[in-house]
Amino acid sequence: MLHTIFRAFQISPTQVQQLRLGHTIRGKAPTKSRTIRERIDELNYKDEIYTTRIDIGFAAERKSNSRQEQIDHIKKMKNDKQLEQLARNHQLVIDLEESKKVWLETLGPHHKKQIADHYGVFEHLYGEGFFTPHLNLEIFYDVKDLCIPVYTGNVIKPSEAIQPPVVSYKSDADSLWTLVLTSLDGHLTEHNKEYVHWLVANIPGGDVDKGDVMIDYLQPFPLKGTGYHRYAFVLYKQDNKISYELPKVLTSSLEGRTFVTRDWYKTHQEVITPAGLAFFQTSWDLSVRDFFHNILQEKEPIYEYDFPEPYIRKQEWFPLRRPFNLYMDKYRDPKEVKKEYLLWKLKNEDPFKSPEPPLKFPNAQPLPKSMPSWLKLHEKKLRLQWGRVNDV
Amino acid sequence: MFGHKDIRFIKSLVRLNSSTPKEFVNRNPRNLERMRIGRKPDGYHLDKPGRKFWHKLAITASNRTVTAQVLHYINGPVIEAKTSEWALQKQLYSIVDTCAYINLGRVLAQRCLECGIYEMYCDLKPLEGSKVEKFLKEFENGGIKLQEPDVYKNPHPWDQYRPEKPWEVTEE
């Protein structure tokens, strides 16, 4: 009797909580457990030191108070009988170009910053730095009377960007500018570095042709199979004339083009300030192959996404109720299995004859009666092009 | 929510004798979503539908303004347009009437095209003849698809079919 009382005193508080044994199997009680959102946020939590960002750009220009003008304009619109008629008949269509012009002066820069963050442009250009592109950078590629503009993340094919684009922006005649085009994802060997595709320094006013070309324009070359690469144009305002201590690259080779914008900006941050931003995405097309063969004189690399290997559980001595041939195939060397199928395929082919037409009703062809059922199924799969036959 | 950490590409065996390295990393955070191999936040089968997307269209109307946003499942609102912003309000008679919705659709479509987001999920079920329906119609006319493709699932060797790889489809 004494013994049991002694035991009762020793029960720890955690043990007392676990009285509802049926529920503990499914995790903690709803009041105690966290939601999936909370758990994911906890996993992705980063300390303030790593998430603090620094604004390296210009502050917004202070505009004269135009609120009164806006109110007057709205009043004028409300009194416009013709406009009211249009609005009531659902025919009022606004001018998109005019609307965009106003947007660029008001909310445009902030929206551009938002989307650039979404594409991780600032993170990969400056690390913790960012800027609001208050200066509108108008860039377009001129391809056979077709003008392909660069905005913020639109897709442009590499064949459309072979020639350098036309760049324009608003500026004073006596100001100096630097224009840089870098590929954020394109580096062939070091993935945290960039290639600089174009660097024009000391541009007087808005005339890019009069600037010093430090690094000549090179067309974008997104590799086959690696998806969409970002290419970012950044316009910096200079305080005075600078000779960037960079080796000049005036040929279209990749030597000397390896670049880290963050380090470059760090050395010159006293005299340059980023003001304008435009970037585009691009994916492989045939012009990339021509670029590798004709300009780099190299074999074109081709990549494929590295999917995780499928999970295959440990092999059993006696796999009950499993088809033995399919089961064993999973544990064989995949190369060997593929070779078997390839040999089967080549066996029926004759280089001097045209291939036989495919069977019209493949399942209606009789199989010998003495054939075991697993082999019949295997034969049917070959005829219907199901499963592993597709791998060769 | 989910990080895109594993963005490695292994060079196919045929070209092993090229001078470039075997592995290549694409840092573009939107790349896997465009290539249809990124993850969508799946697994909320018992919840109200509307969570499985990369980008989603949302409209919020108030007495004073109508806001249309494109939401990303991690980054939240990435593209926005409001009828009360001066770019739209300057040319509108009213900022909450049908014309406001129609023009909002046109402006948002233009902004989406400029930002390279051409497809998005949309779970709005507007009534026939409503303002939202007209907004969606204009939005689609602007060149945006209101459906997102499914995630490409890499087939196992023992699977019956081999679906077409989206990144190998190139238009000539």
Side-chain angles (χ1 to χ4, degrees):
Chain A
M1 199 62 207
L2 249 173
H3 186 70
T4 48
I5 291 166
F6 184 72
R7 285 278 301 273
F9 279 117
Q10 272 214 330
I11 293 172
S12 63
T14 47
Q15 274 177 319
V16 174
Q17 277 180 358
Q18 283 190 354
L19 283 172
R20 293 161 67 188
L21 281 171
H23 292 263
T24 52
I25 296 164
R26 291 174 193 169
K28 287 177 192 159
T31 48
K32 296 261 160 39
S33 62
R34 292 158 300 161
T35 61
I36 193 161
R37 184 89 218 179
E38 284 166 346
R39 291 173 68 172
I40 288 167
D41 285 346
E42 205 167 282
L43 281 175
N44 292 345
Y45 173 76
K46 268 188 190 163
D47 195 82
E48 216 175 287
I49 303 167
Y50 305 107
T51 52
T52 312
R53 303 178 74 196
I54 302 163
D55 192 346
I56 55 171
F58 285 108
E61 258 181 57
R62 285 196 166 250
K63 277 171 194 153
S64 56
N65 198 0
S66 56
R67 187 65 197 149
Q68 193 52 46
E69 280 171 33
Q70 291 184 359
I71 292 168
D72 292 343
H73 183 84
I74 292 168
K75 272 185 188 164
K76 206 180 90 192
M77 299 283 275
K78 284 278 178 200
N79 291 329
D80 191 341
K81 290 278 175 240
Q82 208 182 346
L83 196 75
E84 188 184 350
Q85 240 355 281
L86 280 174
R88 297 230 183 277
N89 297 333
H90 304 168
Q91 285 165 345
L92 177 60
V93 175
I94 64 167
D95 180 11
L96 282 182
E97 276 182 26
E98 166 68 20
S99 159
K100 199 185 164 189
K101 226 166 94 187
V102 179
W103 174 73
L104 283 172
E105 284 162 12
T106 51
L107 282 172
H110 303 286
H111 286 175
K112 278 184 191 172
K113 194 217 140 214
Q114 203 174 14
I115 195 75
D117 271 335
H118 182 50
Y119 279 101
V121 172
F122 296 128
E123 189 196 334
H124 292 144
L125 278 177
Y126 306 109
E128 69 273 36
F130 74 96
F131 67 92
T132 314
H134 289 292
L135 182 76
N136 180 37
L137 193 56
E138 275 176 39
I139 299 175
F140 62 89
Y141 284 102
D142 211 348
V143 194
K144 288 180 208 154
D145 331 318
L146 208 85
C147 142
I148 295 154
V150 179
Y151 297 115
T152 46
N154 54 330
V155 178
I156 293 175
K157 285 274 156 199
S159 58
E160 294 161 347
I162 289 173
Q163 295 304 320
V166 181
V167 181
S168 57
Y169 51 89
K170 263 190 212 164
S171 66
D172 300 330
D174 55 346
S175 54
L176 287 171
W177 305 83
T178 302
L179 182 73
V180 186
L181 167 65
T182 55
S183 76
L184 298 174
D185 313 306
H187 205 286
L188 291 174
T189 48
E190 288 153 289
H191 68 262
N192 46 10
K193 289 192 176 169
E194 304 149 41
Y195 281 130
V196 53
H197 282 246
W198 204 21
L199 202 155
V200 190
N202 303 321
I203 303 167
D207 201 350
V208 179
D209 298 337
K210 283 186 189 164
D212 307 338
V213 180
M214 306 286 292
I215 286 157
D216 208 16
Y217 183 80
L218 182 74
Q219 68 166 99
F221 54 94
L223 305 177
K224 190 170 185 178
T226 61
Y228 291 80
H229 293 203
R230 295 161 297 167
Y231 286 82
F233 291 90
V234 185
L235 187 73
Y236 298 87
K237 188 169 188 183
Q238 295 173 202
D239 290 350
N240 46 42
K241 207 169 165 108
I242 317 173
S243 59
Y244 297 110
E245 277 134 29
L246 281 171
K248 277 198 180 187
V249 183
L250 299 175
T251 55
S252 30
S253 72
L254 292 180
E255 251 174 68
R257 283 183 188 265
T258 300
F259 196 68
V260 181
T261 307
R262 193 174 182 277
D263 296 349
W264 174 77
Y265 180 74
K266 219 173 164 183
T267 50
H268 301 288
Q269 62 181 347
E270 301 301 325
V271 271
I272 56 172
T273 315
L277 173 78
F279 60 97
F280 64 94
Q281 298 186 84
T282 178
S283 68
W284 184 88
D285 75 354
L286 274 173
S287 70
V288 177
R289 181 175 295 167
D290 296 341
F291 169 77
F292 269 95
H293 290 177
N294 302 336
I295 295 168
L296 293 188
Q297 309 275 351
E298 225 180 87
K299 207 164 190 177
E300 188 206 5
I302 294 173
Y303 291 87
E304 188 153 322
Y305 185 71
D306 182 20
F307 284 101
E309 288 291 312
Y311 170 73
I312 295 171
R313 77 177 190 189
K314 228 176 134 188
Q315 195 170 5
E316 290 167 40
W317 265 108
F318 298 104
L320 293 173
R321 303 173 68 83
R322 281 172 217 277
F324 78 96
N325 55 335
L326 304 184
Y327 185 79
M328 299 299 276
D329 271 356
K330 281 193 186 179
Y331 298 95
R332 284 167 67 194
D333 183 9
K335 267 188 194 167
E336 204 181 296
V337 181
K338 270 186 192 173
K339 189 181 165 190
E340 223 168 69
Y341 280 95
L342 186 70
L343 286 176
W344 169 82
K345 208 173 182 178
L346 294 177
K347 197 179 77 186
N348 304 330
E349 275 179 27
D350 193 325
F352 303 109
K353 283 181 198 161
S354 62
E356 277 178 39
L359 297 170
K360 206 172 177 188
F361 301 105
N363 279 347
Q365 303 291 323
L367 291 163
K369 267 205 172 145
S370 58
M371 206 182 216
S373 64
W374 67 267
L375 199 56
K376 276 184 185 167
L377 182 67
H378 178 75
E379 198 65 30
K380 273 184 191 172
K381 277 163 116 183
L382 292 179
R383 287 177 184 176
L384 292 167
Q385 291 279 311
W386 284 359
R388 291 181 189 263
V389 206
N390 294 303
D391 287 342
V392 288
Chain B
M1 279 167 81
F2 308 109
H4 294 296
K5 274 171 195 156
D6 195 26
I7 347 178
R8 284 170 298 142
F9 295 86
I10 292 260
K11 198 185 290 186
S12 51
L13 292 166
V14 199
R15 303 283 184 134
L16 269 179
N17 47 359
S18 173
S19 63
T20 44
K22 237 177 100 182
E23 275 191 14
F24 180 89
V25 178
N26 188 340
R27 294 189 291 173
N28 186 353
R30 303 282 81 78
N31 178 42
L32 291 186
E33 294 171 10
R34 265 192 168 274
M35 285 174 85
R36 285 180 47 197
I37 42 186
R39 287 179 69 184
K40 276 190 198 184
D42 201 354
Y44 298 96
H45 309 299
L46 300 178
D47 286 16
K48 195 177 152 194
R51 288 195 190 211
K52 196 182 170 185
F53 61 85
W54 288 312
H55 293 102
K56 176 180 167 175
L57 180 69
I59 305 178
T60 19
S62 71
N63 289 340
R64 287 179 160 272
T65 179
V66 188
T67 316
Q69 287 177 319
V70 176
L71 307 172
H72 183 255
Y73 75 100
I74 297 172
N75 293 345
V78 289
I79 305 171
E80 282 183 318
K82 273 185 193 178
T83 50
S84 61
E85 63 185 67
W86 190 235
L88 274 116
Q89 196 181 5
K90 197 181 173 189
Q91 298 181 59
L92 287 175
Y93 177 74
S94 159
I95 56 169
V96 287
D97 67 350
T98 310
C99 280
Y101 275 82
I102 291 172
N103 288 309
L104 185 69
R106 293 173 65 220
V107 170
L108 189 70
Q110 190 196 24
R111 287 182 193 173
C112 289
L113 290 181
E114 286 179 6
C115 294
I117 293 166
Y118 307 135
E119 288 168 338
M120 63 190 71
Y121 170 82
C122 173
D123 60 355
L124 301 167
K125 298 270 181 306
L127 294 172
E128 215 171 292
S130 65
K131 292 173 182 175
V132 177
E133 197 206 13
K134 282 174 182 148
F135 166 88
L136 290 180
K137 205 181 138 201
E138 280 304 318
F139 191 59
E140 280 189 296
N141 287 346
I144 308 290
K145 219 173 138 189
L146 286 180
Q147 259 180 343
E148 252 183 3
D150 286 336
V151 177
Y152 169 80
K153 202 171 154 263
N154 191 36
H156 295 313
W158 50 86
D159 281 351
Q160 188 175 7
Y161 298 113
R162 301 287 179 274
E164 194 175 42
K165 291 174 185 173
W167 57 92
E168 282 185 356
V169 184
T170 45
E171 70 249 52
E172 288 301 314

